[in-house]
Amino acid sequence: MRRRQFIQTSALFGSSLFVPNLLSCKMASPLPAKTVHQGHFPNIIIGSGYGGAVSALRLAERGQRVLILEMGQRWDRTPEHDTFCKMLSADRRSSWFSRWPNSPITIPIPLRKYAGVLDKLKYENMSIFVGRAYGGGSIVNGGISIPPRREHFKEIFPWINSNKMYDEFFPLAEKELKVQRIPSDFYQNTKYYEFSRSAEKQAHLAGLKTQMFSNTYDFDYMQKEAKNEVYQSALGGEVIYGNNAGKFSLDLTYLKKAEETGNLTLKTLRKVHKITQEITQDEKGKFILEADTINSDGDLLQREIYSCDKLFLNAGSTGTSELLLRAKNEGDLPLLNDEIGMHWGPNGNIMTGRNFVNKTGVSQSTIPVAGIDMWSDEFEYKIFAEIAPLPLGIETWTTLFLSISDNRERGNFYYDASKKSVNLNWRKEQNEYSVKAAKFLLKKLKEENGGTRSRLLFNNGFGDDFCYHPLGGCVLGKATDEFGRVKGYKNLYVQDGALIPGSAGVNPFVFITGLAERNMRTIVKEDFT
Ligand code: FAE
């Protein structure tokens, strides 16, 4: 196996400078793409979401030179506020090489394929939405910022000192992410949160608890939006395809700070598809990466070869799992263990809605700030239902919930040798708990409020075949050591959502960020002497 690896490595660095065009996002072109050697870097990070951003900042501020390879584009906001498109007038910037806007509630606008911000990965029984951009999911997400419940965290990682997590690393993550709470008087009085107050009212009548939560949206800015003093982003129908103002995404927080050190180099529109390791006597060989460089229309420009001493894989649960499974099964990193690809879950995601109880408002903020909390042993099913907006610009009398249930089912990614592709093993029945939990929530609300299930939305009212929160595939303490060092290889690290086994119990990015902060503290101290 080592000999085979050596031959592969030599081929990458050898004189054969032409390879076929195999870029997945475009049909194979008849012309071969040129292969260009980009040289050696001490540290390479693949992916610039939460795991990648924390890794970049903590390495760069330590004086380490870092290269980020990111497959999406960089989207610097313009003073004209026209970087991103709005939800209702989606254009090609909305979606990653798709003919239609990628959204759970699709507005059928035909698109020209383009390197837009939201991708939808279609596996057999589950579609996964992910951000494709410098800043990863932070560019498209709703900014909901909640640390995991302590009991849930302790159940998942009983061997981590939870006091340190809750006293130090989650607060640090929240500070760096600029997490904040909506002022109560604004929430209670503005027309833009009528949809949320209406759902809370229904919950309280049904004897259910609601919870306000924090967000990475700038609520001072939002209050100015409400007074029409500034450009309207959250109050102007922007989210999921990017916010032209107001939201503190990673490119404005962690990544900005990392760039300010002068130690960060960024290369976007680079999709890494192969990782190998050079053979040395001491098993400390360089990692060698092969990446496809495309333009924003998806044309393959060239294939690039990079090498590095230390490699940080932060391509998200799906991306990291895929890269590692490929490397293991194609003989490039054969010493990876059998935990790679395992313990995957959609965070119990389920979407549902209710109609005809209260008005929910013509003008809705796109930023959720409250939820119904039924995550307790007193209920037959544990579910946390984020009250989501439906900002269609008309009165819909519809309350939408993006819920997280305590679904304990786990799937796994696997390598299909016949197709040379990575697939997700997740059966439809594995969503049963989530659907039952959503039904339970709707029943409770209906008993005291009347109304109907939103049968026209999703599959008869339950969106159980897609998720926003993919988690797992390279779980901390199983596929990696207790700080994210991948077992089997020195100097190979994972710090993203792949580390968390299938469920965060709440929206996951504070969990991912806090955990990466904890792990990087040790890695920077111990592995960079
Ligand atoms: P992620 O942010 O996905 O970053 C991975 C990066 O790697 C991406 O930029 C990829 O383009 C890049 N990449 C992947 N493969 C490659 C490759 N082969 N080569 C180069 N680059 C690659 O990973 N969570 C919350 O906590 N609150 C919310 O309100 C919330 N709302 C959401 C709304 C939407 C529409 C979506 C899609 C997600 C939402 N999430 C939310 C989930 C959250 O964004 C997600 O858990 C994190 O972004 C995951 O962070 P990672 O670092 O794991």
Side-chain angles (χ1 to χ4, degrees):
M1 226 152 356
R2 303 301 275 178
R3 186 170 170 271
R4 189 162 141 221
Q5 224 181 335
F6 175 74
I7 293 166
Q8 282 163 342
T9 305
S10 314
L12 288 177
F13 277 98
S15 57
S16 60
L17 284 182
F18 294 96
V19 291
N21 180 345
L22 292 173
L23 192 68
S24 60
C25 56
K26 245 200 154 182
M27 294 302 289
S29 132
L31 291 175
K34 201 170 85 176
T35 296
V36 179
H37 294 270
Q38 297 288 7
H40 184 77
F41 297 79
N43 306 287
I44 293 185
I45 298 176
I46 304 175
S48 58
Y50 293 88
V54 173
S55 307
L57 175 59
R58 299 308 168 208
L59 292 173
E61 70 180 8
R62 183 64 195 239
Q64 286 291 320
R65 279 194 303 118
V66 175
L67 168 69
I68 291 185
L69 297 175
E70 165 57 54
M71 122 189 207
Q73 300 198 64
R74 181 178 185 134
W75 297 85
D76 288 331
R77 262 54 110 220
T78 63
E80 294 78 28
H81 303 106
D82 58 0
T83 304
F84 300 113
C85 62
K86 290 184 184 281
M87 279 171 83
L88 293 185
S89 49
D91 62 29
R92 64 185 191 150
R93 292 169 293 175
S94 65
S95 306
W96 183 256
F97 299 103
S98 171
R99 290 260 172 246
W100 305 101
N102 284 333
S103 159
I105 302 174
T106 314
I107 299 166
I109 304 170
L111 304 177
R112 190 155 64 78
K113 287 192 175 181
Y114 185 71
V117 288
L118 186 64
D119 198 0
K120 183 178 180 181
L121 302 163
K122 294 180 194 130
Y123 298 99
E124 200 179 333
N125 295 308
M126 178 62 69
S127 291
I128 305 179
F129 288 96
V130 291
R132 291 269 175 255
Y134 180 50
S138 76
I139 298 295
V140 297
N141 69 31
I144 298 170
S145 310
I146 317 177
R149 286 175 203 83
R150 209 174 176 119
E151 309 73 58
H152 195 75
F153 180 84
K154 278 162 86 169
E155 191 187 323
I156 300 177
F157 295 125
W159 40 270
I160 294 182
N161 179 343
S162 63
N163 287 341
K164 254 191 137 14
M165 289 305 300
Y166 285 84
D167 295 345
E168 189 174 357
F169 295 114
F170 289 134
L172 173 62
E174 290 175 313
K175 182 172 151 266
E176 296 286 6
L177 293 166
K178 299 193 192 291
V179 166
Q180 45 192 283
R181 203 45 90 84
I182 190 168
S184 170
D185 57 338
F186 177 62
Y187 174 73
Q188 291 303 342
N189 295 309
T190 176
K191 64 177 180 182
Y192 295 99
Y193 279 102
E194 188 177 358
F195 75 95
S196 192
R197 295 192 303 267
S198 146
E200 282 205 277
K201 205 154 91 191
Q202 291 184 42
H204 295 155
L205 257 178
L208 302 174
K209 267 194 316 187
T210 58
Q211 183 200 331
M212 300 299 292
F213 44 71
S214 304
N215 202 288
T216 50
Y217 204 84
D218 179 345
F219 289 107
D220 288 337
Y221 186 86
M222 190 187 280
Q223 290 178 81
K224 291 188 188 137
E225 290 181 53
K227 291 185 207 147
N228 255 318
E229 291 172 2
V230 291
Y231 174 83
Q232 288 193 321
S233 181
L235 305 191
E238 291 181 357
V239 76
I240 210 175
Y241 304 139
N243 284 81
N244 285 301
K247 190 168 77 177
F248 291 114
S249 44
L250 290 168
D251 52 337
L252 305 176
T253 55
Y254 272 99
L255 292 166
K256 183 164 182 268
K257 270 177 105 171
E259 284 185 49
E260 282 164 2
T261 64
N263 290 323
L264 177 64
T265 306
L266 169 67
K267 292 194 181 200
T268 53
L269 291 170
R270 275 19 184 229
K271 181 177 182 184
V272 177
H273 59 95
K274 192 175 178 67
I275 304 168
T276 54
Q277 196 186 30
E278 192 191 49
I279 309 301
T280 55
Q281 290 298 326
D282 58 2
E283 299 277 322
K284 281 190 192 163
K286 295 183 279 196
F287 289 97
I288 294 139
L289 315 183
E290 201 176 299
D292 284 332
T293 307
I294 57 167
N295 62 20
S296 54
D297 288 325
D299 300 305
L300 179 58
L301 303 180
Q302 61 188 28
R303 188 154 279 182
E304 296 179 339
I305 309 291
Y306 297 84
S307 72
C308 61
D309 298 321
K310 288 184 164 49
L311 176 60
F312 293 80
L313 259 167
N314 291 302
S317 162
T318 52
T320 292
S321 303
E322 171 162 354
L323 281 166
L324 288 175
L325 270 175
R326 268 189 193 286
K328 178 175 165 61
N329 287 282
E330 292 176 3
D332 295 328
L333 297 177
L335 305 178
L336 294 172
N337 74 13
D338 290 340
E339 292 286 346
I340 300 294
M342 304 307 283
H343 314 288
W344 184 86
N347 202 24
N349 278 182
I350 172 118
M351 246 181 146
T352 188
R354 278 169 48 72
N355 299 331
F356 311 128
V357 179
N358 313 92
K359 283 189 174 178
T360 44
V362 173
S363 308
Q364 301 190 4
S365 168
T366 57
I367 296 298
V369 292
I372 302 176
D373 186 3
M374 293 169 64
W375 199 286
S376 146
D377 289 336
E378 71 179 277
F379 297 112
E380 201 178 335
Y381 296 96
K382 288 187 193 171
I383 186 162
F384 176 69
E386 157 200 332
I387 304 165
L390 188 59
L392 299 181
I394 49 167
E395 179 55 67
T396 61
W397 291 74
T398 301
T399 301
L400 199 63
F401 297 107
L402 196 160
S403 307
I404 295 160
S405 72
D406 191 17
N407 187 347
R408 305 260 157 159
E409 290 287 336
R410 297 290 173 260
N412 65 283
F413 291 102
Y414 65 95
Y415 182 76
D416 180 342
S418 65
K419 294 186 187 135
K420 294 201 165 187
S421 66
V422 171
N423 289 320
L424 177 64
N425 180 12
W426 177 266
R427 287 170 288 107
K428 195 170 166 34
E429 312 83 81
Q430 291 184 278
N431 283 322
E432 203 177 305
Y433 181 95
S434 303
V435 176
K436 283 187 174 162
K439 280 190 178 154
F440 185 64
L441 162 75
L442 294 193
K443 187 166 155 260
K444 286 258 170 215
L445 292 172
K446 187 174 175 172
E447 277 166 5
E448 300 300 328
N449 295 276
T452 62
R453 184 199 307 171
S454 308
R455 288 180 193 271
L456 291 180
L457 294 174
F458 321 114
N459 311 322
N460 201 18
F462 297 111
D464 66 336
D465 55 357
F466 63 87
C467 79
Y468 285 172
H469 301 161
L471 293 170
C474 186
V475 165
L476 192 70
K478 292 183 188 290
T480 74
D481 79 347
E482 60 188 297
F483 295 102
R485 301 175 181 107
V486 179
K487 288 181 184 170
Y489 290 88
K490 273 207 165 75
N491 299 326
L492 180 62
Y493 308 87
V494 168
Q495 297 302 346
D496 59 19
L499 291 182
I500 301 171
S503 160
V506 289
N507 310 60
F509 73 60
V510 174
F511 194 157
I512 297 169
T513 310
L515 197 58
E517 285 284 17
R518 167 205 180 257
N519 296 342
M520 286 306 294
R521 176 78 56 86
T522 296
I523 284 164
V524 164
K525 199 161 121 200
E526 292 181 0
D527 298 11
F528 288 84
T529 46

